[in-house]
Amino acid sequence: MYNFLKHLHSGWAYLALLLLLIAVVNSVIGLTSRKDFFAKDRKIALFALIGAHTQFLIGIITYFVSPRGFNLLGNMEKNARLTSLEHPLINLIAIALITIGWSKHKKLINSEAKFKTFAIFYGLGLLLILSRIPWNLWF
């Protein structure tokens, strides 16, 4: 089961990162070109939110069944610290930022403010996620 979850978590990461990148780029383009916020823009952000939350859920399950996750918590060797502490904690913060961005946009009326909210919160979430990916395990 662990190997299946590990591969699912690694594979889904590509989709989640792509969706987040598309949402951030769409928001920056919408913000800089001053276009109106349409249902298409909301759906792009929603798919990114769903993809990121799904990835986080798969990651939490993998964390507790993995020999490299919860079992290594407290081990301060570099790779063990990354997979057992830094990766899950920073990604939790990233998911919280993405969720805050989604929640804040619903209260806004102005298109520019909606694009700006997505660009900032989704962008910060994407940067945090990229900063804590265990790249040596991917390649």
Side-chain angles (χ1 to χ4, degrees):
M1 180 169 142
Y2 166 66
N3 281 333
F4 171 74
L5 286 172
K6 183 176 90 169
H7 291 300
L8 180 62
H9 185 58
S10 293
W12 191 267
Y14 291 107
L15 179 62
L17 288 172
L18 179 64
L19 290 171
L20 275 173
L21 182 63
I22 290 169
V24 170
V25 168
N26 182 61
S27 298
V28 170
I29 290 171
L31 184 61
T32 57
S33 65
R34 298 187 184 271
K35 68 177 196 167
D36 288 333
F37 190 86
F38 292 112
K40 170 191 73 87
D41 302 309
R42 186 186 63 77
K43 288 177 185 174
I44 289 171
L46 178 62
F47 287 141
L49 176 82
I50 292 169
H53 276 86
T54 303
Q55 174 67 1
F56 186 69
L57 180 63
I58 295 166
I60 289 296
I61 295 167
T62 305
Y63 180 75
F64 286 105
V65 300
S66 167
R68 298 184 58 90
F70 186 71
N71 296 332
L72 290 179
L73 193 59
N75 183 343
M76 289 298 113
E77 184 266 321
K78 183 180 177 184
N79 287 332
R81 186 181 70 232
L82 175 65
T83 56
S84 68
L85 179 65
E86 294 173 0
H87 179 73
L89 181 62
I90 296 300
N91 286 332
L92 174 64
I93 294 168
I95 294 297
L97 286 171
I98 292 166
T99 306
I100 289 168
W102 176 258
S103 296
K104 286 180 75 72
H105 107 277
K106 294 191 283 186
K107 298 175 184 137
L108 300 172
I109 298 169
N110 184 352
S111 292
E112 182 180 353
K114 287 183 181 231
F115 282 125
K116 186 176 182 181
T117 299
F118 281 131
I120 291 171
F121 285 96
Y122 278 45
L124 286 173
L126 178 61
L127 286 175
L128 286 175
I129 290 169
L130 289 173
S131 76
R132 292 297 107 200
I133 289 177
W135 296 104
N136 62 335
L137 297 177
W138 263 23
F139 300 108

